[in-house]
Amino acid sequence: MAVETTVKSSIVIRFAGDSGDGIQLTGTQFTNTTAMAGNDLGTFPDYPAEIRAPAGTIAGVSGFQINFGSDAIHTPGDFCDVLVVMNAAALKANLRNLKKGGIIIANEDGFDAKNLRLAQYEDGENPIKDGSLSEYALYTLPVTKLTREALKELPLSTKEADRSKNMFVLGMLYWLYNRDPEKTVNFLKQKFKNNSIIEEANISVLKAGYHYGETAEIFNGRYDVKPAKMPSGTYRGITGNQATAYGLIAASQISKAKLFYGSYPITPASDILHVLSRHKNFGVMTFQAEDEIAAICSAIGASYGGSLAVTASSGPGIALKTEAIGLAVMLEIPLVVVNVQRSGPSTGMPTKTEQADLMQALYGRNGEAPVPVIAPRSPSDCFNAVYEACRIAIRFMTPVFFLSDGYLGNGAEPWKFPKASELPAIPLQYAKPEDRTNGKYFPYQRDELLVRKWAVPGTKGLEHRIGGLEKEDVTGDISYDPENHEKMVKIRAQKISNIADFIPEQKIEVGPTKGRMLLLGWGSTFGTLKTAVQQLNEEGYSVAHTHLSYLNPLPKNLGEILANYEMIVVPEINDGQLVNIIRNKFLVDAIRFTKIQGLPFHVNEVKNKVLSLLE
């Protein structure tokens, strides 16, 4: 029987199952294949912090959401069109994320008495059989049994065979959404090249799932999402953490400073270390230190020695690096401090996202120790933003905060990667013996932007003191003179303020340049705010959106922009940190709009807030 294909402009799918079901791998493979099909997309991996919560429990549920389409996609989507669940706990934890009337594809083998009990359903309650899901399109199939059947000829234990059941679901989804499974076949050949039986098992189950969709006739039809119309160029799928690593490598190559990365593993920043450690061919040096303090101090040492030095962590680790960041401020050496934010305080919710380290980045040090702060707005923008952080760090001889978050670091999207010739130059010139005056080197002699030279140890004639004690202006000698200390504090502050002359002016992303309301965002809320404002404009509301990438110093024209609107609304994934800064600096009655649930905003949440304020 001919199968009818329905063309869709966009679809949101959410995969959910136990942490051991390979949900993140399933979602990532579907994402990569979808990117190869030419769709624009956004993803949202949503997984538990526990290394292994009890199997079958709600605490152990792992999720992965992808929004893909033939139009521009800026978010992973609010609610999903299709919810794929591997067991009862996955359904219970994620049903609230499914649109009314949406599709549920359920592994009925994950709804036995044990799984229902672990998911805390009442005795006798089974949602896939009792009619409670009647408002959805429910498809049930025995994924576990079908997987075992597909592998019955291979010498695998039941436990080993069951590990492949995610490939059955993936293959079936490939058929349902008209995707070529060949890319995943090639991935599996590479991943299991040293274990031919596991390789054969996964490929066999993937194909079994695809053919099951083709032959079982359980679905009413297939869906097709045409390629998105994007600027011509070469694209690849990329996560924020990968883009961060590649941005650092690019900055190293362009500046010709060797890249040193000193770090200590922490969720969700660890992937940056994993990626960089595979690129020694670019001269990248990675060092996994015994703790956060050692990590940043190794980076400071590398910077002093002339390398482009980077250290990374998340909030709790940044707290431990605090004193050393102050040391780098005092030394006036380049250092990029990457903070992939997560929900806090303390260890908080390690795998959930938040924007709550803004104040920590701006003020979290003793003494007067200002540093530039830059925040990326999308996974691929992590490349541009961290590259810019490196450029500023080298030009202004200062530590720079790169303020990413878990939503960006783990999220993925297509990336049209640039050519090296398209990247901004990063001029780097170390101090030379000729820079001495009357035979003496003055390490704190400054240029017109108050920036001192980068004198690499071992350069004859450039010997100078280092350390955290206050330095005398120009000479760099240790000084306890009160007036000198005040002068040096103000010089260091003015040097950071001067960066405002080197960054782009703020612009309106969407909407009128003056009018009723402006949404002022920063960091990872970009896609949601842009989508919400675009939709509100289409519905006839006068709303605009501007988004900050530079948090310190702020763009010079920001105050002029704010003055053009009757209402300033500041949405943030924290309890209102930027809004306080805006109120204090510009004396405007900016409106706080916050969410502190470890989750990003939904587009509808933003629209509803805007509409309530416009009433």
Side-chain angles (χ1 to χ4, degrees):
M1 184 177 71
V3 177
E4 184 178 348
T5 297
T6 303
V7 176
K8 294 274 191 179
S9 61
S10 66
I11 293 175
V12 180
I13 300 176
R14 189 176 184 91
F15 300 93
D18 192 74
S19 293
D21 287 336
I23 295 300
Q24 300 306 315
L25 177 65
T26 305
T28 301
Q29 284 303 304
F30 192 90
T31 298
N32 293 342
T33 299
T34 297
M36 292 296 290
N39 296 129
D40 199 0
L41 61 87
T43 70
F44 177 46
D46 184 16
Y47 51 89
E50 289 78 9
I51 293 173
R52 193 65 184 92
T57 63
I58 292 175
V61 171
S62 178
F64 187 102
Q65 185 161 308
I66 174 173
N67 180 13
F68 60 102
S70 54
D71 298 323
I73 299 292
H74 301 298
T75 77
D78 285 6
F79 297 96
C80 57
D81 302 291
V82 182
L83 176 60
V84 181
V85 292
M86 301 297 284
N87 62 16
L91 176 67
K92 193 162 196 176
N94 286 283
L95 188 58
R96 62 181 179 176
N97 297 309
L98 180 63
K99 291 176 181 175
K100 297 301 180 189
I103 295 173
I104 299 173
I105 300 174
N107 171 22
E108 64 184 41
D109 296 325
F111 285 78
D112 59 14
K114 180 182 177 183
N115 275 289
L116 289 166
R117 185 178 68 255
L118 289 169
Q120 300 176 7
Y121 282 99
E122 299 293 333
D123 290 344
E125 187 182 6
N126 187 341
I128 65 170
K129 293 182 178 177
D130 60 14
S132 60
L133 301 176
S134 58
E135 61 184 326
Y136 305 99
L138 175 63
Y139 298 93
T140 62
L141 61 157
V143 174
T144 307
K145 290 187 180 69
L146 291 168
T147 299
R148 292 174 185 173
E149 177 66 19
L151 300 179
K152 64 182 179 183
E153 302 298 331
L154 291 178
L156 294 170
S157 66
T158 301
K159 187 176 181 180
E160 288 172 326
D162 288 352
R163 286 176 182 157
S164 302
K165 63 178 183 288
N166 60 326
M167 288 296 112
F168 189 95
V169 170
L170 183 60
M172 190 175 62
L173 269 288
Y174 280 161
W175 176 83
L176 189 59
Y177 292 97
N178 202 18
R179 295 282 177 261
D180 184 354
E182 198 57 32
K183 181 175 175 59
T184 297
V185 170
N186 293 333
F187 165 80
L188 293 170
K189 287 179 178 177
Q190 181 64 28
K191 181 176 178 63
F192 298 114
K193 61 184 179 183
N194 297 323
N195 192 331
S196 59
I197 293 179
I198 298 300
E199 174 192 323
E200 183 181 352
N202 279 276
I203 293 174
S204 297
V205 174
L206 178 75
K207 293 180 177 178
Y210 188 91
H211 294 308
Y212 183 85
E214 188 174 31
T215 60
E217 299 183 0
I218 63 171
F219 298 106
N220 297 329
R222 304 174 78 182
Y223 299 92
D224 192 20
V225 179
K226 301 296 183 187
K229 296 175 182 175
M230 295 189 286
S232 61
T234 305
Y235 287 80
R236 58 156 294 172
I238 197 163
T239 68
N241 281 340
Q242 289 172 330
T244 301
Y246 296 152
L248 293 171
I249 294 172
S252 167
Q253 293 293 301
I254 296 296
S255 67
K256 302 190 185 310
K258 282 193 173 182
L259 177 60
F260 176 89
Y261 187 86
S263 185
Y264 180 75
I266 185 171
T267 301
S270 300
D271 282 346
I272 302 171
L273 175 60
H274 300 159
V275 175
L276 287 174
S277 66
R278 296 195 291 267
H279 290 86
K280 294 176 183 173
N281 55 312
F282 287 114
V284 177
M285 295 175 284
T286 53
F287 171 55
Q288 180 177 321
E290 69 269 29
D291 58 35
E292 300 284 6
I293 298 172
I296 188 171
C297 287
S298 70
I300 288 173
S303 175
Y304 184 62
S307 295
L308 172 56
V310 183
T311 189
S313 191
S314 192
I318 296 297
L320 293 170
K321 296 178 190 290
T322 296
E323 183 184 355
I325 296 171
L327 172 61
V329 169
M330 189 66 99
L331 295 174
E332 298 191 48
I333 56 173
L335 177 69
V336 175
V337 182
V338 175
N339 181 353
V340 188
Q341 300 165 92
R342 66 188 199 186
S343 299
S346 188
T347 40
M349 298 195 292
T351 58
K352 306 302 179 186
T353 195
E354 207 163 74
Q355 292 183 303
D357 294 345
L358 177 58
M359 290 296 185
Q360 183 189 40
L362 290 170
Y363 306 119
R365 292 165 292 283
N366 64 300
E368 302 284 352
V371 300
V373 179
I374 296 175
R377 55 180 57 189
S378 70
S380 64
D381 188 52
C382 287
F383 178 93
N384 304 316
V386 81
Y387 186 92
E388 179 70 350
C390 294
R391 191 176 75 96
I392 290 175
I394 290 174
R395 176 61 186 91
F396 288 86
M397 293 288 285
T398 177
V400 178
F401 255 105
F402 172 75
L403 213 47
S404 178
D405 62 33
Y407 177 60
L408 294 179
N410 293 323
E413 65 180 1
W415 177 46
K416 181 187 173 187
F417 52 89
K419 298 176 182 175
S421 59
E422 298 170 344
L423 297 174
I426 305 180
L428 190 166
Q429 190 169 21
Y430 299 113
K432 298 175 289 201
E434 304 89 273
D435 293 321
R436 291 177 296 178
T437 302
N438 296 326
K440 185 173 182 182
Y441 181 62
F442 297 103
Y444 284 80
Q445 199 166 43
R446 301 169 187 276
D447 64 14
E448 69 281 6
L449 294 172
L450 304 180
V451 180
R452 78 182 190 93
K453 288 186 178 295
W454 195 350
V456 176
T459 308
K460 188 175 181 180
L462 303 188
E463 296 82 3
H464 61 282
R465 291 181 177 83
I466 61 167
L469 293 173
E470 185 61 280
K471 307 296 185 300
E472 184 180 69
D473 186 26
V474 182
T475 69
D477 293 339
I478 293 170
S479 172
Y480 294 96
D481 177 66
E483 285 75 20
N484 176 75
H485 175 57
E486 182 166 315
K487 181 179 182 182
M488 291 295 277
V489 166
K490 290 187 179 298
I491 287 176
R492 288 190 288 264
Q494 186 60 49
K495 183 179 74 167
I496 303 304
S497 296
N498 290 343
I499 296 172
D501 294 327
F502 271 75
I503 62 176
E505 290 199 338
Q506 191 66 23
K507 66 176 184 179
I508 299 297
E509 298 289 342
V510 185
T513 54
K514 58 175 62 177
R516 187 83 187 280
M517 178 186 289
L518 175 71
L519 265 61
L520 173 64
W522 68 279
S524 64
T525 57
F526 175 77
T528 303
L529 300 186
K530 182 174 182 176
T531 303
V533 173
Q534 282 177 332
Q535 293 180 6
L536 287 163
N537 286 176
E538 291 168 1
E539 294 166 15
Y541 296 97
S542 178
V543 182
H545 169 217
T546 190
H547 212 78
L548 293 172
S549 296
Y550 300 87
L551 281 307
N552 189 45
L554 292 166
K556 290 193 297 184
N557 65 329
L558 182 59
E560 299 170 22
I561 289 178
L562 299 181
N564 288 329
Y565 297 89
E566 297 173 25
M567 281 188 285
I568 310 296
V569 183
V570 185
E572 297 179 84
I573 309 297
N574 58 44
D575 202 23
Q577 299 192 13
L578 178 62
V579 71
N580 290 334
I581 295 167
I582 297 300
R583 287 175 174 175
N584 291 341
K585 186 171 180 63
F586 299 102
L587 301 179
V588 296
D589 190 17
I591 298 169
R592 181 191 311 262
F593 177 32
T594 65
K595 183 175 182 177
I596 324 164
Q597 302 172 13
L599 296 168
F601 280 118
H602 282 180
V603 171
N604 278 339
E605 288 176 309
V606 176
K607 290 179 66 178
N608 291 337
K609 178 67 175 180
V610 168
L611 293 175
S612 69
L613 291 168
L614 290 175
E615 285 178 355

